[in-house]
Amino acid sequence: MAPFPGSGLAKGLAVTLRTMTKKTVTEQYPDTQPDLPPRTRGVIGLFEENCTVCMLCARECPDWCIYIDSHKETVPAAAPGGRERSRNVLDRFAIDFSLCMYCGICIEVCPFDALFWSPEFEYAETDIHELTHERDKLREWMWTVPAPPALDPAAEEPKEIAAAHKTAEKLAATQAAEAAEAAQAAETMQTPEAAAPAETPRANPAKPPQPEPAKPPQPGPAKPAQPDPTEPPEGQS
């Protein structure tokens, strides 16, 4: 069904009339800070520990307002016989907010979560050169970044968190096994020696058994002399 002529005008006037009847509310800024949504694009914060100097943010920035300097360092081998590695060390990370158009491309392309939006917006300066914030200032903005929203209860656990939980459980199981072995060893050391079964002495195979020396005969009581049958008994001639 085609709309009748003038329906758009009527809808617009209805919105105007509803707005005219509402009470005007003026926020008393700066005495009262505005309640901004957490995803407000105020300023960009830098989490320096996650930056690997991959230069993706600087290359993808349409305004070329990100300046990065770095140098390479040699990392010794972790194990004997291993190879040395080289890694990039961040020297400078600056953003010129007089050129930035707050498109957020640098935050989206960062593969290591080193850049975040902060809802802070009070960083006006009287000199345009002071709008170039170095990494120390960007680090301070990082502490104003709000926490990420909670996940949907029905959503799957992120792979990173699942891997971290698996590693933590494996480490806890290893530590529990080591503690059990240590406790068992301590109990064995504290057991009295009388409880252990007596061992039968074994012959030394290196030395043959020696015979015991013969004992001399012991002298017994004297026996009465036997009469000689050839001799007549006493009292007979």
Side-chain angles (χ1 to χ4, degrees):
M1 180 179 180
F4 61 90
S7 59
L9 178 61
K11 292 180 180 179
L13 291 176
V15 173
T16 302
L17 292 175
R18 284 198 303 269
T19 306
M20 290 175 59
T21 57
K22 289 182 179 180
K23 182 180 179 180
T24 303
V25 178
T26 302
E27 295 185 358
Q28 302 299 323
Y29 177 82
D31 297 333
T32 303
Q33 294 292 327
D35 187 11
L36 300 175
R39 297 183 64 184
T40 300
R41 297 187 176 188
V43 72
I44 298 174
L46 170 66
F47 193 58
E48 187 176 338
E49 286 76 3
N50 288 357
C51 182
T52 60
V53 200
C54 64
M55 306 294 291
L56 277 177
C57 55
R59 288 199 298 264
E60 297 296 332
C61 177
D63 294 332
W64 291 81
C65 63
I66 300 177
Y67 313 113
I68 300 176
D69 293 332
S70 65
H71 69 277
K72 288 188 176 182
E73 287 186 355
T74 302
V75 180
R83 297 179 58 185
E84 296 181 347
R85 298 183 300 106
S86 62
R87 67 187 181 102
N88 293 325
V89 180
L90 183 66
D91 293 331
R92 185 194 182 199
F93 194 107
I95 300 178
D96 188 356
F97 285 99
S98 65
L99 298 177
C100 179
M101 64 180 183
Y102 305 91
C103 63
I105 293 178
C106 57
I107 298 176
E108 294 177 2
V109 301
C110 180
F112 301 105
D113 294 334
L115 298 175
F116 297 88
W117 278 119
S118 168
E120 296 293 329
F121 60 93
E122 296 178 323
Y123 52 93
E125 301 290 348
T126 57
D127 188 357
I128 193 173
H129 298 288
E130 295 181 0
L131 286 176
T132 301
H133 293 176
E134 299 293 335
R135 65 176 184 175
D136 296 336
K137 186 65 174 179
L138 299 177
R139 176 77 173 188
E140 295 178 4
W141 293 123
M142 186 63 204
W143 309 126
T144 62
V145 175
L151 298 176
D152 189 347
E156 296 182 359
E157 188 178 32
K159 296 180 180 179
E160 295 82 358
I161 298 179
H165 286 171
K166 186 176 180 180
T167 304
E169 292 174 359
K170 186 182 297 184
L171 180 60
T174 304
Q175 293 178 351
E178 292 178 355
E181 292 179 0
Q184 186 176 3
E187 292 178 0
T188 305
M189 294 292 293
Q190 294 176 0
T191 303
E193 297 180 357
E199 297 182 357
T200 57
R202 297 180 181 179
N204 191 355
K207 296 181 180 181
Q210 299 180 358
E212 296 182 0
K215 296 181 179 180
Q218 299 290 338
K223 295 182 180 181
Q226 298 290 335
D228 191 357
T230 60
E231 296 181 358
E234 295 180 3
Q236 294 181 5
S237 58

